[in-house]
Amino acid sequence: VYPISVNYAKNWTVRDAIRELIANALDTDTKVSIGVKNKEGYIIDKGDGIEKKHLLFGNSNKEEDQIGQFGEGLKMASLVLGRNGRNLRLVTKGFEYCAKIERDTEFDSDVLVLYLKKSRKRIGTDIYFDCTEKEMNETKNLYLEFNKNLKQIDNGIYSPGNYIFANGVMIEKTNTLYSYNLTDAKKHLSRDRKSLNIDAAKLEISVIIGMCRNEKFITIFLEDRDHYHFEQSLDISISSIARSEWKKV
């Protein structure tokens, strides 16, 4: 039993929960299978598996360059899916669990309950949950890795614009000339992954643009006169490695 209100992260949707489950799988840096079969979503990786201690809030083995950064994604996903009436079953190295929302008489509240049992699985993690194909596809499109509509222009820069990503995950839709991928999620995001630290984002995007050597990007950027574009508010210093390309234009 987690002594935590079911309204924790109340602004999270089912899509947010699926996003975190995909993030955990991608962070294993192994072959990942994602899909929906018979109205059941599945996310399967070949990583080292999850230890029971990582089910505790705040306990994480994440590294700085990984998508999930706060050690809460799996637990929050389990909570959000449960309160939306979605079944979830996770099978990993040595154990598995089912997540349920139940009434607890001790706390006189609905709480998240994980039912654990032993598993013979020795590698990887398999997660199964109630999900539609539309929900899965919409969530996958939040990731640069799966979104076929975005084309990389230069390091950290993508076309078309209007999106800001952090560690490859779309965080915010905004009025930008191009889209940008920030590299330090912990610096740029709130704990619930729903709010962007705009000042930190401006600094990194300024650096990304200043290092860009793509002459087509530079030309369009310099010719842009739309004062509502996010880039117009940036203070950009051109890096020495890109100076010749900027001078050509």
Side-chain angles (χ1 to χ4, degrees):
V1 175
Y2 280 100
I4 183 169
S5 168
V6 293
N7 292 319
Y8 184 68
K10 63 181 180 180
N11 61 339
W12 271 40
T13 64
V14 168
R15 189 177 75 166
D16 293 319
I18 299 172
R19 178 198 66 202
E20 291 302 310
L21 298 178
I22 292 176
N24 282 345
L26 294 179
D27 280 344
T28 65
D29 198 24
T30 64
K31 182 180 178 181
V32 176
S33 298
I34 301 172
V36 178
K37 185 176 181 180
N38 298 325
K39 297 183 179 180
E40 182 179 62
Y42 60 85
I43 301 172
I44 299 171
D45 68 63
K46 302 297 182 182
D48 295 332
I50 299 169
E51 297 181 54
K52 288 182 180 178
K53 66 181 181 180
H54 294 140
L55 298 179
L56 298 173
F57 271 83
N59 196 336
S60 174
N61 60 349
K62 300 288 186 178
E63 298 177 3
E64 290 299 319
D65 61 346
Q66 293 182 316
I67 299 169
Q69 287 289 311
F70 300 96
E72 296 182 358
L74 175 60
K75 285 80 78 175
M76 291 169 68
S78 299
L79 174 67
V80 172
L81 288 171
R83 76 175 177 223
N84 281 279
R86 310 294 183 97
N87 293 311
L88 178 144
R89 182 170 69 95
L90 178 147
V91 185
T92 192
K93 182 179 178 180
F95 74 96
E96 65 176 88
Y97 77 70
C98 291
K100 304 287 184 182
I101 301 296
E102 297 182 356
R103 191 73 179 177
D104 187 276
T105 56
E106 186 72 25
F107 295 104
D108 190 28
S109 298
D110 292 336
V111 296
L112 173 65
V113 179
L114 302 184
Y115 288 94
L116 279 73
K117 65 180 183 180
K118 291 183 179 180
S119 165
R120 293 183 179 181
K121 193 173 183 62
R122 290 294 174 261
I123 187 170
T125 300
D126 302 352
I127 305 177
Y128 305 95
F129 51 94
D130 297 337
C131 170
T132 66
E133 288 192 22
K134 181 181 179 181
E135 288 170 332
M136 184 67 84
N137 290 333
E138 287 180 348
T139 307
K140 286 179 67 176
N141 276 333
L142 296 175
Y143 287 82
L144 285 171
E145 182 168 341
F146 302 121
N147 193 318
K148 301 184 186 303
N149 297 320
L150 287 156
K151 177 182 178 182
Q152 186 167 10
I153 303 301
D154 207 311
N155 186 35
I157 303 174
Y158 296 80
S159 180
N162 297 326
Y163 299 100
I164 296 179
F165 294 78
N167 291 8
V169 186
M170 199 274 281
I171 301 302
E172 189 159 310
K173 186 173 182 180
T174 188
N175 188 21
T176 55
L177 183 63
Y178 283 84
S179 294
Y180 302 94
N181 182 36
L182 311 179
T183 57
D184 189 342
K186 211 164 195 175
K187 181 191 296 182
H188 298 298
L189 302 180
S190 61
R191 292 186 70 86
D192 67 359
R193 277 61 125 209
K194 300 286 279 187
S195 302
L196 182 70
N197 182 330
I198 199 67
D199 290 332
K202 281 184 175 182
L203 287 174
E204 183 166 346
I205 292 173
S206 296
V207 172
I208 290 172
I209 292 174
M211 296 180 69
C212 179
R213 303 177 68 180
N214 183 291
E215 292 183 20
K216 182 178 179 180
F217 168 88
I218 296 170
T219 300
I220 294 174
F221 174 81
L222 292 176
E223 292 178 350
D224 181 43
R225 296 294 182 268
D226 188 339
H227 295 291
Y228 292 101
H229 276 151
F230 179 87
E231 289 90 343
Q232 295 291 331
S233 66
L234 303 178
D235 183 13
I236 299 169
S237 297
I238 308 304
S239 169
S240 59
I241 65 171
R243 200 163 291 155
S244 62
E245 286 80 7
W246 284 79
K247 283 183 177 180
K248 283 182 187 177
V249 175

